[in-house]
């Protein structure tokens, strides 16, 4: 007898530009940093095991050596396969004083946040940062289809486009690197 586990909902922060890419059907992949990083001198990813309970084990080694002792084990903090990520995005007030999502939809329209407007929510400010967005305001829900560990520098042009980089970019990989560094830091 097999037991089916119910999908869990977990929040994830997204920048406005990435929300817009999702809404325009231009982004279908998301990369996040591992909390447990491999040792700095380990620069080759050999193998990764992903388990259904969300655990990940990655084996790294130092290039041009036979030291295979560098491995890390971690959990995907966003869930396991079939779990749902609800996107935390920035909310602002429009010219009429109504709450709207900062990210425009694929038609270039800022959609109203009905949960806040219907409840006459007022925090005395003109915006709500994505970190403070509550689940009831979420409009974007993403299903986890796969979890894997990859070396960031191994991304190619097609993967960069799946991350939301426009397909007509001259060098999508370079554009993704700039985007990544603007979010995480220049030395990431």
């Amino acid at each position: 007898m097999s037991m089916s586990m119910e999908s869990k909902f977990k929040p994830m922060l997204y920048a406005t530009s990435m929300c817009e890419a999702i809404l325009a059907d231009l982004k279908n992949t998301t990369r996040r940093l591992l909390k447990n990083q491999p040792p700095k001198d380990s620069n080759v990813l050999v193998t990764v095991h992903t388990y259904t309970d969300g655990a990940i084990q990655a084996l790294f080694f130092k290039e041009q050596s036979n030291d295979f002792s560098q491995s890390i084990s971690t959990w995907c903090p966003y869930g396991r396969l079939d779990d749902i990520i609800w996107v935390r995005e920035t909310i602002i007030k429009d010219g009429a004083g109504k709450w709207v999502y900062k990210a425009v939809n694929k038609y270039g329209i800022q959609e109203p946040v009905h949960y806040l407007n219907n409840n006459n929510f007022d925090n005395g400010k003109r915006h709500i940062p994505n970190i403070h967005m509550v689940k009831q305001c979420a409009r974007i829900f993403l299903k986890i289809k796969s979890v894997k560990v990859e070396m960031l520098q191994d991304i190619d042009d097609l993967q960069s486009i799946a991350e939301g980089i426009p397909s007509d970019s001259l060098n999508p990989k370079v554009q993704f690197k700039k985007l990544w560094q603007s979010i995480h830091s220049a030395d990431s």
Side-chain angles (χ1 to χ4, degrees), residues 93 97 99 120-128:
K93 280 191 177 178
W99 292 106
N120 296 315
F121 176 78
D122 187 8
N123 65 353
K125 299 182 180 176
R126 299 213 37 84
H127 82 288
I128 300 171

Side-chain angles (χ1 to χ4, degrees), residues 14-171:
Y14 275 82
T16 298
S17 61
M18 294 297 94
C19 291
E20 289 174 346
I22 291 169
L23 293 168
D25 296 325
L26 298 175
K27 180 174 175 60
N28 59 30
T29 301
T30 293
R31 284 171 169 72
R32 293 294 195 249
L33 290 169
L34 279 175
K35 287 192 180 213
N36 299 332
Q37 288 290 306
K40 293 277 186 206
D41 56 355
S42 298
N43 57 2
V44 176
L45 176 61
V46 178
T47 185
V48 176
H49 300 285
T50 304
Y51 304 94
T52 56
D53 63 359
I56 301 168
Q57 184 177 32
L59 177 65
F60 295 84
F61 75 98
K62 300 172 190 172
E63 194 169 27
Q64 299 171 345
S65 89
N66 291 323
D67 181 5
F68 286 89
S69 62
Q70 308 293 324
S71 73
I72 60 170
S73 294
T74 190
W75 296 88
C76 175
Y78 303 105
R80 60 175 199 268
L81 298 182
D82 295 327
D83 281 351
I84 308 294
I85 293 170
W86 59 273
V87 173
R88 282 186 156 166
E89 58 181 303
T90 301
I91 298 170
I92 60 173
K93 280 191 177 178
D94 66 9
K98 296 290 184 185
W99 292 106
V100 295
Y101 299 100
K102 185 175 180 184
V104 298
N105 65 21
K106 63 183 173 183
Y107 305 107
I109 297 169
Q110 287 183 310
E111 297 176 14
V113 184
H114 297 295
Y115 178 78
L116 297 178
N117 292 323
N118 293 344
N119 290 298
N120 296 315
F121 176 78
D122 187 8
N123 65 353
K125 299 182 180 176
R126 299 213 37 84
H127 82 288
I128 300 171
N130 58 3
I131 189 79
H132 297 299
M133 181 183 158
V134 296
K135 184 179 175 187
Q136 292 88 336
C137 295
R139 64 174 167 167
I140 302 172
F141 296 88
L142 309 170
K143 187 176 207 173
I144 298 176
K145 294 181 180 177
S146 71
V147 176
K148 53 189 169 181
V149 176
E150 299 173 317
M151 300 294 273
L152 190 61
Q153 63 267 26
D154 291 343
I155 193 170
D156 62 23
D157 285 344
L158 287 176
Q159 293 169 339
S160 298
I161 292 166
E163 282 280 356
I165 300 301
S167 58
D168 60 354
S169 295
L170 292 178
N171 191 333

